[in-house]
Amino acid sequence: MKCPHCGYSDSKVLDSRDTADGIRRRRQCLNCTQRFTTHEKVQRTTLFVIKKDRRREPFQKDKVLNGIRKACEKRPISGHDIEKLADEIESELVAGGRAEVYSSAIGDMVMAGLKTLDHIAYIRFASIYRDFADITRLKQEVDSLAEAGAPASASAEAVPSKQLPLLPGADNGAVKMGWRRR
Ligand SMILES: [Zn+2]
């Protein structure tokens, strides 16, 4: 289990707790000393993900986690919140007892979660994940979020006054006009 903060592969267990479906462990990274939680559970059935190209592959929480992390890069979102979102998505999928799930459904769950955490991370994920038909639609999405105001989560209070650019190389606060289309 790698540290969600620095990627170091060794941690010590501070606390273990039995939960309904496994064990929750509070860990501390031996490198950066940040704390994080892991949840070990018994794998019941293999959930398969149906991808856009119709190929199927076993569900891997790490893939969800990596997608969320990428969207949250340099944003004021704790590793704990990122892990929690991935855990919640996994739990929801497992609890559903399904054998298969479309990758688009997982993407929608990530988007719904990010929308409550951080609007920039949400837009980043959406721009990678969803094919915005054109720049106008993306701008509408950004505008609707701006009107809705900042999310009322605790992490949002830590947003620095000098916002980081939406994308690397983009000007502060501006949607990069040379938006890359896939
Ligand atoms: Zn660490």
Side-chain angles (χ1 to χ4, degrees):
M1 183 66 201
K2 284 182 178 173
C3 169
H5 307 282
C6 74
Y8 193 69
S9 57
D10 209 359
S11 60
K12 69 173 172 184
V13 175
L14 302 173
D15 180 51
S16 292
R17 244 182 329 124
D18 283 328
T19 60
D21 57 349
I23 299 174
R24 197 171 278 275
R25 290 200 165 94
R26 193 80 184 129
R27 295 171 183 271
Q28 185 170 31
C29 175
L30 294 181
N31 180 47
C32 72
T33 72
Q34 294 249 44
R35 292 169 181 203
F36 58 98
T37 302
T38 56
H39 192 182
E40 292 164 29
K41 59 178 78 173
V42 177
Q43 194 105 38
R44 292 186 194 88
T45 49
T46 306
L47 174 69
F48 278 90
V49 178
I50 306 168
K51 307 206 292 182
K52 272 183 186 167
D53 59 9
R54 312 295 296 174
R55 279 187 300 140
R56 294 158 89 253
E57 64 173 32
F59 172 78
Q60 292 163 274
K61 193 181 84 173
D62 279 356
K63 284 200 170 180
V64 176
L65 208 47
N66 287 341
I68 299 171
R69 279 202 191 117
K70 211 169 232 173
C72 293
E73 242 166 52
K74 295 184 181 169
R75 297 298 305 159
I77 305 165
S78 69
H80 172 79
D81 282 347
I82 291 170
E83 290 260 334
K84 197 170 147 240
L85 177 55
D87 276 346
E88 282 168 1
I89 289 168
E90 184 189 38
S91 302
E92 204 175 317
L93 290 170
V94 170
R98 288 177 278 192
E100 292 178 332
V101 62
Y102 283 97
S103 59
S104 58
I106 299 174
D108 288 346
M109 290 163 82
V110 172
M111 284 181 57
L114 284 178
K115 203 166 185 175
T116 66
L117 281 180
D118 184 271
H119 286 167
I120 300 292
Y122 164 74
I123 289 291
R124 273 192 198 147
F125 187 86
S127 70
I128 296 162
Y129 189 77
R130 215 176 241 180
D131 293 316
F132 277 93
D134 53 41
I135 190 75
T136 314
R137 255 193 70 199
L138 178 59
K139 192 176 179 309
Q140 280 168 358
E141 188 79 7
V142 173
D143 288 347
S144 72
L145 289 174
E147 280 164 23
S153 69
S155 57
E157 285 160 20
V159 175
S161 57
K162 191 176 186 299
Q163 288 265 334
L164 288 158
L166 180 62
L167 291 169
D171 290 326
N172 279 357
V175 174
K176 195 177 184 186
M177 290 313 288
W179 198 261
R180 257 190 304 139
R181 298 284 299 278
R182 291 195 309 141

